[in-house]
Amino acid sequence: MNIQPLNEPVHRGLTHLRLLNFRSIAAADIALTPLTIFVGPNASGKSNILRSLSFLRNALTLQLNTALDLEGGLSSVRRKGPGVRITNRHTESEISGIDFQAPEIGLSVNCVLESTEGQWRQVEYGFQLKAIDPLRCRVVRERCLVYLLDGAKRKASAGFDRRPKSTTI
């Protein structure tokens, strides 16, 4: 994790984004600055990085199942792998084009905020989803931690780290 000491300018807003098996992105750990520009060839994942932020916003402001619906459902959000060929040894028939679907999806974001009292806070929020079947998933972890920034030090001030047992979406 990249934490700036407060003797350097503190940037408000998003500072870090982590993705796991979101759309075309297998894994990404992206440091964000006040001006972050994504450059790359077509179909390299630039739009999916932006869509992850939209998905995360919708999951926080609406409900997670609504955010999934707005994205086109679980199968639209989960990373798909290359098609594979499976041969049945007994009949020697081939089934091709079966897509691997990543079983777990993770999104997390860090941001720095200034309170009305002028106190700087760093907030880490994220969640992990595990696919149960092609249409349903469950929340396996949700975490939100808030730190007060005091000089180069962080002091935990609030938060939670949940691993629900039966939250199915």
Side-chain angles (χ1 to χ4, degrees):
M1 181 179 332
N2 182 12
I3 301 170
Q4 291 182 318
L6 286 183
N7 55 2
E8 296 178 15
V10 175
H11 301 291
R12 287 186 207 140
L14 299 178
T15 60
H16 221 93
L17 175 66
R18 289 179 195 83
L19 303 172
L20 175 66
N21 295 322
F22 184 82
R23 294 192 172 270
S24 66
I25 301 167
D29 191 6
I30 305 164
L32 301 170
T33 62
L35 176 62
T36 301
I37 300 171
F38 297 106
V39 178
N42 290 345
S44 63
K46 300 178 303 287
S47 296
N48 288 335
I49 292 169
L50 298 176
R51 287 187 79 160
S52 73
L53 292 170
S54 173
F55 176 67
L56 194 55
R57 179 200 62 218
N58 289 337
L60 285 167
T61 57
L62 305 171
Q63 292 182 352
L64 185 53
N65 57 349
T66 304
L68 281 168
D69 289 344
L70 290 171
E71 286 294 323
L74 178 63
S75 63
S76 184
V77 170
R78 279 195 312 176
R79 184 176 70 88
K80 294 170 183 60
V84 295
R85 288 180 128 41
I86 299 172
T87 303
N88 183 326
R89 289 183 296 165
H90 302 291
T91 63
E92 294 187 14
S93 62
E94 262 188 13
I95 304 168
S96 62
I98 297 174
D99 281 338
F100 157 78
Q101 299 259 339
E104 201 164 283
I105 302 163
L107 288 94
S108 71
V109 67
N110 288 11
C111 62
V112 174
L113 306 168
E114 185 178 12
S115 70
T116 55
E117 302 85 35
Q119 178 68 53
W120 289 94
R121 289 182 168 79
Q122 180 184 19
V123 179
E124 300 174 8
Y125 176 78
F127 57 84
Q128 289 176 282
L129 307 174
K130 182 172 181 140
I132 296 170
D133 59 41
L135 299 176
R136 295 180 310 138
C137 63
R138 69 181 182 92
V139 178
V140 291
R141 186 175 189 189
E142 182 183 27
R143 178 179 153 172
C144 181
L145 300 172
V146 179
Y147 298 95
L148 294 175
L149 300 178
D150 182 17
K153 298 178 186 173
R154 289 189 328 167
K155 298 178 187 174
S157 67
F160 60 84
D161 192 349
R162 292 181 233 181
R163 295 174 190 261
K165 293 184 180 168
S166 63
T167 306
T168 303
I169 301 168

